[in-house]
Amino acid sequence: MVESGMSPKMAESVVERQDNALRRRRLLRGMATLALGGLLAACQVVPKSGGPAAPPPPENPDETVGPGLPTDTDRHRVALLVPQTGANADVGTAIANATTLALLDTRADKVRITTYDTALGAAAAARQAVADGNRLILGPLLSEDVTAVAPVARAAKVPVLSFSNDSGVAGNGVFILGFVPGQSVERVVAFARGKGHQRFGALVPKNVYGDRAAAAFRDAVREAGGTLVAVETYDRTATALTGAARRLANGGAMDAVLIADVGGNAIRAVPIVKGAGSKQILGTELWNTDASLGSNAAMRGAWFASVSDGLYGQLATKYRARYGKAPYRLASLGYDSVLLTVRIARDWKPGTAFPVNRLLAADGFGGIDGIFRFNNRGIAVRALEVSEVGAGGFRVVDPAPAKW
């Protein structure tokens, strides 16, 4: 695990790596201290009668000596659970790096973040985080990891602020920050309806994302007063995709079609879906990072809804300057989770339980991805903008609201 904190006297975040197995061996041998990166982590062993004298008390009265990480009396313990090894290590590392940037940018001196590797076992990482005295968990990233972490955190009364976009894992102490597909679908359908489009169809993959996008699409069309003509699903193969696109094109007259898939699959499907007719193509937040869409003439003029990229561009520039490469788009979730934590920490007494009710503030929170607030299900509701695909990139045609 990696630990970082920030004080006004520090120009860099503090990084502390601890070997749990080594710590346990030293505990059994009665050794008292282990110092890494300038931070003290110690364990105390009570001697048997007639044995050696107990070690002296710590010089710093603000840190209590005991097994595990030091217990601060003036800083909040916050755990970051992300993959640092395995297939998703690069994404997890980008999120962790972004949290460090947020600590530096906010000059937060009351928050100490320790990173735990979920690739080694999400439940085990959560148990260690709880044992180390963390009062809030940021992450994990994958929905299956959230499912593993949730009961551990719930038993310890530690809330989870996950980076997942799976609304199915939210609730009962779990809040999700990820970009939920349903919100993007609702936003772009409402915009299209406002522009006069009446008859809607959709092309969605057969997976969890597609299922939720399709459900949101049906609700959005109904709420907007439109007419649902057809929804076609497909396995994510080229043959299945083109077959579904042909079925949709022949499925009845429609003037707006949603393609709830990545840009590459949209490019394959759009010429077939449009056929000889003139249809408005709609997309989701999955298109946000695909700058190649405009190179395909059939995609030009398509609309999609997503979080604003204005501030993210600044974060990406700063990230490249510090780490020498571009971040993953999800890095913004790590940054914004720290901004949220720092804001709440102003009125959160160190050593006490995290004030969960503060997450439900009506005015919500702001960050790299714009404003958002949590609903009573624990899902981040985001202010989204609508963009149009053009030959030179994306153009915002309906900005995200600046306040609720």
Side-chain angles (χ1 to χ4, degrees):
M1 58 187 172
V2 177
E3 181 172 330
S4 62
M6 183 68 193
S7 72
K9 295 181 181 180
M10 296 169 64
E12 300 287 342
S13 64
V14 178
V15 178
E16 176 181 74
R17 297 187 180 275
Q18 296 183 317
D19 187 318
N20 292 335
L22 177 59
R23 187 177 63 209
R24 287 194 293 270
R25 291 197 298 270
R26 290 187 174 182
L27 173 63
L28 293 173
R29 291 199 298 265
M31 298 182 68
T33 60
L34 170 64
L36 283 176
L39 295 177
L40 177 65
C43 52
Q44 183 177 42
V45 178
V46 178
K48 295 180 180 179
S49 176
E59 294 180 4
N60 183 355
D62 288 338
E63 293 192 350
T64 302
V65 177
L69 298 177
T71 302
D72 290 341
T73 60
D74 60 349
R75 280 182 287 189
H76 299 289
R77 278 275 182 206
V78 177
L80 174 66
L81 271 61
V82 290
Q84 295 193 295
T85 56
N88 296 304
D90 288 346
V91 180
T93 298
I95 292 173
N97 289 343
T99 65
T100 297
L101 286 177
L103 288 173
L104 290 167
D105 288 349
T106 59
R107 300 188 63 80
D109 59 357
K110 291 190 178 298
V111 177
R112 176 179 278 182
I113 295 179
T114 307
T115 304
Y116 301 80
D117 187 3
T118 54
L120 302 178
R127 284 192 291 270
Q128 187 62 56
V130 168
D132 286 343
N134 292 284
R135 301 303 181 101
L136 173 67
I137 290 176
L138 306 179
L141 173 63
L142 305 177
S143 60
E144 56 264 35
D145 287 346
V146 178
T147 301
V149 165
V152 177
R154 193 174 302 122
K157 297 185 168 128
V158 174
V160 174
L161 194 57
S162 169
F163 306 128
S164 172
N165 68 349
D166 184 353
S167 57
V169 299
N172 202 6
V174 174
F175 297 78
I176 62 170
L177 270 172
F179 309 131
V180 178
Q183 294 176 29
S184 174
V185 171
E186 291 164 6
R187 178 77 164 94
V188 76
V189 167
F191 178 76
R193 184 71 188 93
K195 293 297 182 180
H197 296 285
Q198 171 66 38
R199 296 175 61 81
F200 292 81
L203 192 63
V204 298
K206 290 181 180 178
N207 55 24
V208 173
Y209 182 92
D211 291 345
R212 291 188 173 145
F217 177 72
R218 292 185 175 94
D219 290 343
V221 171
R222 183 179 64 252
E223 289 294 322
T227 301
L228 178 62
V229 177
V231 175
E232 290 292 341
T233 62
Y234 56 91
D235 295 321
R236 295 187 80 194
T237 65
T239 300
L241 174 62
T242 55
R246 289 193 186 96
R247 291 195 301 274
L248 187 67
N250 298 324
M254 58 193 78
D255 53 17
V257 173
L258 173 77
I259 301 178
D261 207 338
V262 296
N265 282 340
I267 287 173
R268 295 184 186 95
V270 163
I272 302 171
V273 168
K274 282 187 171 181
S278 176
K279 298 182 179 71
Q280 176 63 51
I281 300 300
L282 311 177
T284 74
E285 80 291 342
L286 294 178
W287 295 5
N288 178 271
T289 58
D290 194 342
S292 68
L293 288 178
S295 63
N296 185 282
M299 292 296 299
R300 294 171 196 165
W303 296 329
F304 68 93
S306 70
V307 295
S308 173
D309 259 353
L311 292 177
Y312 176 76
Q314 298 177 28
L315 172 63
T317 298
K318 184 178 296 186
Y319 188 103
R320 281 192 295 267
R322 185 174 182 85
Y323 297 106
K325 57 183 177 181
Y328 281 79
R329 184 62 181 82
L330 293 179
S332 63
L333 298 180
Y335 192 99
D336 285 357
S337 71
V338 172
L339 294 189
L340 180 156
T341 302
V342 169
R343 173 179 163 180
I344 291 180
R346 296 171 189 165
D347 304 312
W348 172 25
K349 183 179 178 181
T352 64
F354 181 82
V356 180
N357 62 308
R358 293 286 306 282
L359 291 175
L360 299 175
D363 59 343
F365 304 91
I368 294 297
D369 294 319
I371 61 172
F372 65 94
R373 60 186 175 187
F374 292 103
N375 63 19
N376 57 11
R377 293 179 55 203
I379 300 169
V381 178
R382 296 184 172 276
L384 304 179
E385 66 185 17
V386 178
S387 296
E388 182 176 276
V389 178
F394 304 145
R395 178 177 68 92
V396 176
V397 292
D398 194 27
K403 61 181 181 180
W404 296 109

